[in-house]
């Protein structure tokens, strides 16, 4: 490694870090992202130049092909599908790291030291797990396979056995210069990734996406150890750290430990806490025969409104009507804020993106900890397609999956209007005790239609 | 020597990254994630070197696929992040 090369690499790594730093404010984030992108482009050219391989057509064909595919995919994807897109990209990055490790192992010259032997196999394993785990996660998010956790008999034992097998094979492959062992390692790693992602339920997706993101960075960094590429090590480590922070945030937000999520002490089936159909009928009647005041009347008198959006809002693409509702309310002098639960949506911060897509200004979006004490002095809270994150049972119902999860104190508002599809429980399978509170009105049905009607009644 | 240097680089980067990312608000966590995910396409550097210096034909093919996948990750990740960030507007 020449000194110039090391200096250039250091500068590029710092630029990438600076790009991420700019991403901490919406005002500078676009520039930050572009700075990181340009740094990466320079890094590619630097590496090609430093290794004197810039003139190889094979490399350029691959780069152009990959760029075209990546660009085409990125332009098409709707915002609601962002989590599965990120998971897919993540998996491809992991696959690339695994393939590099595989090439390095198969091409191995005889003078490899233990450091290279070890890191190449580790990159193969982590890259493989990242690839298959991300693909399963993406398929679950895209509803191509069931979102319910799929658990094999003795799932935990099988997974633990696989880790032991991987370690043994890794040690074995040092002394056996045999490509068959390497392929077995890859197959076991891929299978492990599938088993690990399979058992994650829909509600835990934000955690798992963050973790896989971290792993793909780690795989890249370890790859960098194998091919002695300092920039790869540095940037991979940055991504690994970032993913870990987000994973931890998500776990804290759901009051769960990571090991608890990974070993499947998680989402239970709805049947466990199944709803009582009589109750449901009674609640629907209550909603229909509510003659005290219509939701529109309550809203007309409101000075302060907090909207609580959930994934159901995004599914029915109601955020554009929600934006209209906000405008109508503000026209009559009402203050409107949004309460965003950390795990609303399917990945960290997903709900903010969906609301930004509908042109809702970001200073109206409040985090749970900042807004939770404001419900008590709010005239109306409007819940739109959110269930688990508003469920007061999280504070009382011991032994249920959501017990202990911090929730939005929606019920403290003077009036609550719930615009959900039905009164079925959310992912957790726990009945929402908010629905039966005296200050709550239910308007059941597709959120987009419900909000449209609400706007008509307000303006009518 | 190089081994120790790489480990040092790994540690310093992880610590710096941790400090900087800690300051990103929840509001921007999705773009942060897709942005760092794009950056993890940095593995393209490894795939370029590895493909160029491989001798076997089969390795060239594997390496070629690795470059394509890493580039999809890199380019696609940056473009979706850009799309998202442009939507965040103030009043």
């Amino acid at each position: 490694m020449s000194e110039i090369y090391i200096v250039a690499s250091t500068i590029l790594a710092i630029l990438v870090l600076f790009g991420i730093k700019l991403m901490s404010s919406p005002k500078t984030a676009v520039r930050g992202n572009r700075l990181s992108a340009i740094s990466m482009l320079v890094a590619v050219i630097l590496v090609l130049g430093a290794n004197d391989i810039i003139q190889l057509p094979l490399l350029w064909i691959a780069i152009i092909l990959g760029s075209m595919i990546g660009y085409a995919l990125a332009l098409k994807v709707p915002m609601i599908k962002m989590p599965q897109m990120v998971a897919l990209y993540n998996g491809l990055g992991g696959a690339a790291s695994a393939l590099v490790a595989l090439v390095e192992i198969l091409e191995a010259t005889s003078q490899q030291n233990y450091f290279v032997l070890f890191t190449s196999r580790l990159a193969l394993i982590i890259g493989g797990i990242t690839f298959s785990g991300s693909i399963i996660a993406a398929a679950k998010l895209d509803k191509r396979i069931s979102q319910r956790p799929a658990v094999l008999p003795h799932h935990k034992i099988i997974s633990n056995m696989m880790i032991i097998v991987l370690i043994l094979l890794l040690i074995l492959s040092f002394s056996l210069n045999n490509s068959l062992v390497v392929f077995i390692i890859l197959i076991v790693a891929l299978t492990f990734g599938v088993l690990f992602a399979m058992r994650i339920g829909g509600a835990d997706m934000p955690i798992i996406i963050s973790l896989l993101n971290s792993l793909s960075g780690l795989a890249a960094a370890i790859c960098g150890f194998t091919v002695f590429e300092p920039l790869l090590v540095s940037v991979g480590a940055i991504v690994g750290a970032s993913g870990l922070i987000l994973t931890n945030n998500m776990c804290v937000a759901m009051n769960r430990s990571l090991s608890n999520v990974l070993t499947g002490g998680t989402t239970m089936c709805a049947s466990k806490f199944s709803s009582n159909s009589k109750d449901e009928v009674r609640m629907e009647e209550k909603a229909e025969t509510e003659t005290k005041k219509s939701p529109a009347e309550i809203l007309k008198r409101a000075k302060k409104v907090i909207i609580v959006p959930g994934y159901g809002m995004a599914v029915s693409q109601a955020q554009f009507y929600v934006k209209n509702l906000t405008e109508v309310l503000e026209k009559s002098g009402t203050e409107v804020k949004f309460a965003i639960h950390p795990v609303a949506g399917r990945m960290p911060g997903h709900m903010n993106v969906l609301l930004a897509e509908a042109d809702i200004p970001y200073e109206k979006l409040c985090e749970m900890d900042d807004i939770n004490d404001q419900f008590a002095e709010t005239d109306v809270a409007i819940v739109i397609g959110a269930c688990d994150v508003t469920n007061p049972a999280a504070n009382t119902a011991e032994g249920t999956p959501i017990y202990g999860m911090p929730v939005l104190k929606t019920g403290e508002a003077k009036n609550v209007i719930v615009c959900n599809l039905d009164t079925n429980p959310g992912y957790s399978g726990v009945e929402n005790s908010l629905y039966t509170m005296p200050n709550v009105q239910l308007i059941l049905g597709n959120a987009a239609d419900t909000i449209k009607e609400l706007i008509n009644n307000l303006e009518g | 020597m190089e081994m120790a240097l790489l480990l040092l680089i790994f540690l310093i980067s992880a610590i710096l990254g941790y400090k900087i990312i800690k300051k990103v608000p929840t509001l921007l966590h999705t773009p942060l994630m897709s942005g760092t995910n794009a950056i993890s396409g940095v593995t393209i550097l490894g795939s370029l070197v590895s493909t160029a210096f491989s001798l076997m034909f089969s390795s060239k093919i594997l390496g070629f696929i690795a470059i394509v996948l890493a580039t999809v990750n890199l380019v696609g990740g940056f473009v979706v992040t850009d799309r998202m960030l442009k939507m965040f507007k103030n009043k």
Side-chain angles (χ1 to χ4, degrees):
Chain A
M1 266 184 262
S2 71
E3 277 166 22
I4 296 176
Y5 183 70
I6 291 185
V7 170
S9 295
T10 310
I11 292 171
L12 284 171
I14 291 169
L15 283 177
V16 168
L17 273 172
F18 188 64
I20 297 176
K21 189 174 160 47
L22 289 176
M23 284 187 93
S24 54
S25 154
K27 292 186 183 69
T28 54
V30 174
R31 259 177 291 157
N33 181 50
R34 288 179 184 175
L35 177 65
S36 299
I38 290 164
S39 309
M40 283 293 154
L41 179 66
V42 175
V44 167
I45 291 166
L46 174 76
V47 166
L48 288 174
N51 288 289
D52 200 20
I53 51 178
I54 202 157
Q55 68 290 355
L56 292 181
L58 180 74
L59 305 185
W60 286 105
I61 294 169
I63 290 173
I64 290 165
L65 187 63
S67 304
M68 278 164 38
I69 298 170
Y71 192 72
L73 286 175
L75 284 187
K76 272 198 339 206
V77 62
M79 289 302 145
I80 190 169
K81 291 194 167 182
M82 205 43 83
Q84 49 265 52
M85 196 76 220
V86 171
L88 178 68
Y89 285 148
N90 206 27
L92 298 183
S97 295
L99 285 170
V100 172
L102 190 62
V103 168
E104 288 298 313
I105 295 168
L106 297 177
E107 290 274 331
T109 44
S110 52
Q111 77 254 14
Q112 285 196 325
N113 60 16
Y114 276 115
F115 183 72
V116 173
L117 280 173
F118 176 69
T119 54
S120 59
R121 280 138 184 89
L122 196 60
L124 181 72
I125 292 170
I126 295 183
I129 292 172
T130 306
F131 171 65
S132 59
S134 299
I135 297 299
I136 296 289
K140 276 190 177 229
L141 286 161
D142 213 33
K143 297 204 174 72
R144 285 164 198 257
I145 54 176
S146 162
Q147 299 210 338
R148 289 237 157 271
V151 184
L152 296 174
H154 311 299
H155 203 118
K156 205 169 175 176
I157 298 169
I158 295 172
S159 294
N160 291 342
M161 287 289 289
M162 286 180 112
I163 294 174
I164 295 165
V165 168
L166 278 173
I167 295 168
L168 291 176
L169 284 170
L170 195 142
I171 296 164
L172 181 71
S173 74
F174 286 178
S175 48
L176 269 184
N177 209 345
N178 180 337
S179 52
L180 181 67
V181 178
V182 175
F183 282 111
I184 293 173
I185 290 179
L186 180 60
I187 288 164
V188 176
L190 289 172
T191 315
F192 182 83
V194 172
L195 289 181
F196 142 88
M198 238 170 64
R199 67 179 317 159
I200 308 294
D204 293 321
M205 274 301 164
I207 296 181
I208 220 66
I209 296 282
S210 314
L211 187 67
L212 287 164
N213 189 30
S214 180
L215 277 184
S216 74
L218 193 61
I222 297 168
C223 229
F225 283 125
T226 307
V227 295
F228 281 118
E229 187 54 67
L231 194 55
L232 193 45
V233 172
S234 168
V235 175
I238 294 167
V239 177
S242 140
L244 275 184
I245 293 173
L246 292 173
T247 308
N248 183 48
N249 284 356
M250 292 295 106
C251 287
V252 169
M254 296 171 89
N255 191 35
R256 303 266 298 277
S257 72
L258 183 60
S259 66
N260 171 279
V261 174
L262 296 183
T263 55
T266 64
T267 13
M268 308 192 191
C269 297
S271 59
K272 271 222 157 153
F273 307 93
S274 73
S275 59
N276 181 332
S277 55
K278 267 189 219 157
D279 270 357
E280 235 172 85
V281 173
R282 218 179 306 143
M283 277 202 280
E284 279 174 43
E285 275 174 15
K286 189 180 137 217
E288 283 164 23
T289 56
E290 189 71 65
T291 48
K292 283 189 294 184
K293 284 196 198 92
S294 74
E297 275 174 59
I298 296 174
L299 275 175
K300 272 179 187 162
R301 294 169 189 220
K303 290 272 172 289
K304 286 186 174 179
V305 172
I306 295 179
I307 296 178
V308 180
Y311 193 64
M313 177 200 76
V315 170
S316 69
Q317 287 286 293
Q319 61 266 45
F320 303 96
Y321 300 110
V322 171
K323 160 81 174 163
N324 291 350
L325 177 67
T326 310
E327 284 169 345
V328 170
L329 289 170
E330 284 179 336
K331 233 183 275 172
S332 59
T334 312
E335 178 197 63
V336 183
K337 287 181 181 170
F338 287 79
I340 316 280
H341 192 278
V343 293
R346 286 292 169 271
M347 70 187 286
H350 191 201
M351 194 51 64
N352 298 298
V353 172
L354 293 167
L355 294 169
E357 186 187 17
D359 269 344
I360 292 166
Y362 58 77
E363 68 273 8
K364 288 195 204 302
L365 314 181
C366 310
E367 289 175 35
M368 177 169 69
D369 297 341
D370 298 335
I371 202 164
N372 239 354
D373 296 334
Q374 297 177 32
F375 278 105
E377 59 216 35
T378 296
D379 301 311
V380 188
I382 311 174
V383 177
I384 306 169
C387 183
D388 286 340
V389 298
T390 63
N391 193 347
N395 306 317
T396 52
E398 263 182 83
T400 62
I402 56 168
Y403 180 66
M405 176 170 103
V407 287
L408 291 158
K409 300 174 184 169
T410 321
E412 290 184 1
K414 296 185 185 80
N415 295 283
V416 183
I417 300 170
V418 177
C419 308
N420 284 358
L421 189 59
D422 49 36
T423 53
N424 291 344
Y427 262 116
S428 69
V430 185
E431 286 288 320
N432 193 339
S433 55
L434 178 75
Y435 297 161
T436 48
M437 288 166 83
N439 58 338
V440 177
Q441 291 202 36
L442 299 171
I443 316 177
L444 301 179
N446 176 303
D449 300 339
T450 310
I451 304 293
K452 250 190 290 187
E453 194 170 330
L454 204 51
I455 295 170
N456 289 340
N457 294 342
L458 272 175
E459 291 182 321
Chain B
M1 177 56 224
E2 282 203 329
M3 205 163 76
L5 180 72
L6 287 177
L7 284 169
L8 188 68
I9 290 172
F10 181 84
L11 281 176
I12 292 172
S13 305
I15 292 164
L16 284 175
Y18 189 86
K19 279 194 178 318
I20 286 174
I21 292 154
K22 259 269 183 263
K23 295 199 177 83
V24 178
T26 317
L27 174 75
L28 293 172
H29 275 176
T30 292
L32 170 73
M33 202 167 201
S34 82
T36 51
N37 169 37
I39 294 168
S40 74
V42 68
T43 196
I44 187 176
L45 303 179
S47 54
L48 289 167
V49 175
S50 176
T51 309
F53 294 109
S54 62
L55 305 168
M56 291 185 282
F57 181 67
S58 58
S59 302
K60 291 264 186 223
I61 293 176
L62 292 176
F64 182 86
I65 297 170
I67 300 172
V68 173
L69 296 182
T71 319
V72 170
N73 182 195
L74 200 60
V75 174
F78 282 128
V79 175
V80 288
T81 309
D82 195 62
R83 267 184 64 200
M84 273 192 272
L85 288 171
K86 278 196 282 198
M87 295 186 317
F88 282 89
K89 290 190 192 80
N90 218 317
K91 271 177 192 158

